[in-house]
Amino acid sequence: MGDPLILEEDQQCEFSQRRDRPDGFDEEAIAQLLCIPGQDFARTAVGRRVRIMRTSMTTLTQIWMTLLLSNVLPSNHNSDLSLSKCQLVYAILTRMSVHVAQVIADAIYLFAGMAPTKHPLDLEKSNKALGFPALITGLCQSFGVQVTPSKVIRPSITRAFVEKYCTPRQAQGDAPQGAGAPPPPQQADSAKPLGMERYLQHLVRQQAANHRRQVQIHECLYRFSRSQQWQGSTPFVCPTPEQFAAEVAWPGD
């Protein structure tokens, strides 16, 4: 990024040293710095911190997340940051030394070691995306290779970009009340059943969406099973769509 970190042989940056220690990062401090007030990590059922959702991040955290996921650790998944990436953002914001080239090299090593996943309908194809496409394109261009990108590069992080994509939800709605502002009026008790009713309707829609997803997954498996039978192999016997629908019938169908 114009200011490379120069290290001695076998020397690690401060971020790498802390990352390799079990107690290298204080997760409470990370949450306080990266989250808007009142927000925290998303946790597992046993309480382990795993990620921070974008809607819980401060504007500055969202800006750094956009930069990292576009230039350092590319990813199309930008709705949250995993714990390890939160540690990286925390290290940057607290001005720890970070060897960016080593971070990229470590990510490439992990990506290259991942086993490819086969396409469910065409075994000659892979579902695995190309890793670090911008880096590969840039290296090719630096050696004089003519490159015609097939995907539009993300826009620059300008003020307009920040206001549109990196503003916390609270700032997009009503502004926080000042010290002298009166407290919001209490909702009537009659509104509570309405909130529960909406919540139950939301659960019903979620379950209906899960059911549609299961039907689509089964259809893919069934087609794959049929294609294998046509090729002369003997795969597992996949139930027909009618048999599947009879087994997992959605109430009301």
Side-chain angles (χ1 to χ4, degrees):
M1 296 183 180
D3 186 19
L5 179 65
I6 306 300
L7 299 174
E8 301 293 336
E9 186 176 358
D10 296 330
Q11 182 183 3
Q12 288 184 312
C13 63
E14 186 176 358
F15 165 70
S16 297
Q17 293 175 4
R18 291 203 178 196
R19 182 187 59 184
D20 295 340
R21 299 203 312 262
D23 59 344
F25 286 95
D26 184 346
E27 295 178 0
E28 289 285 351
I30 293 176
Q32 291 179 5
L33 183 61
L34 271 57
C35 297
I36 58 179
Q39 299 297 317
D40 197 354
F41 279 86
R43 300 171 182 257
T44 63
V46 295
R48 185 172 61 87
R49 293 180 172 93
V50 288
R51 62 178 56 83
I52 295 179
M53 305 305 296
R54 189 185 191 101
T55 52
S56 300
M57 299 177 188
T58 65
T59 295
L60 186 59
T61 303
Q62 293 187 51
I63 293 173
W64 275 106
M65 179 181 74
T66 302
L67 178 65
L68 290 175
L69 299 184
S70 300
N71 299 278
V72 181
L73 302 172
S75 173
N76 288 329
H77 181 74
N78 58 5
S79 61
D80 61 70
L81 276 180
S82 63
L83 176 59
S84 60
K85 292 177 181 176
C86 288
Q87 293 172 349
L88 177 57
V89 174
Y90 178 82
I92 294 172
L93 294 180
T94 54
R95 298 184 179 277
M96 296 183 193
S97 61
V98 179
H99 196 325
V100 178
Q102 187 62 53
V103 171
I104 296 175
D106 292 343
I108 292 176
Y109 178 82
L110 291 176
F111 185 87
M114 294 171 58
T117 56
K118 297 296 184 181
H119 193 279
L121 300 181
D122 189 346
L123 298 181
E124 299 298 325
K125 296 181 180 180
S126 172
N127 277 349
K128 192 172 182 180
L130 176 64
F132 297 85
L135 177 60
I136 295 173
T137 303
L139 290 174
C140 291
Q141 288 178 324
S142 67
F143 282 92
V145 178
Q146 294 295 326
V147 176
T148 304
S150 58
K151 189 173 184 179
V152 178
I153 299 177
R154 294 179 181 177
S156 302
I157 303 177
T158 61
R159 180 182 294 274
F161 181 92
V162 171
E163 291 177 351
K164 184 174 182 180
Y165 297 107
C166 302
T167 304
R169 181 175 299 177
Q170 181 180 6
Q172 293 177 346
D174 297 334
Q177 295 185 347
Q186 296 292 329
Q187 292 183 345
D189 292 340
S190 59
K192 292 182 179 179
L194 180 61
M196 178 58 70
E197 180 181 354
R198 289 178 178 174
Y199 175 70
L200 292 176
Q201 290 175 350
H202 174 70
L203 290 180
V204 170
R205 289 193 294 269
Q206 279 187 325
Q207 293 297 330
N210 290 335
H211 178 71
R212 291 193 298 270
R213 186 185 311 124
Q214 290 174 344
V215 171
Q216 292 177 347
I217 293 174
H218 171 265
E219 184 176 355
C220 291
L221 291 173
Y222 180 72
R223 291 182 178 179
F224 174 72
S225 175
R226 296 284 294 174
S227 67
Q228 293 295 293
Q229 291 176 0
W230 293 334
Q231 294 176 10
S233 58
T234 56
F236 68 94
V237 178
C238 185
T240 66
E242 291 77 14
Q243 293 171 334
F244 180 80
E247 186 69 24
V248 295
W250 179 252
D253 284 357

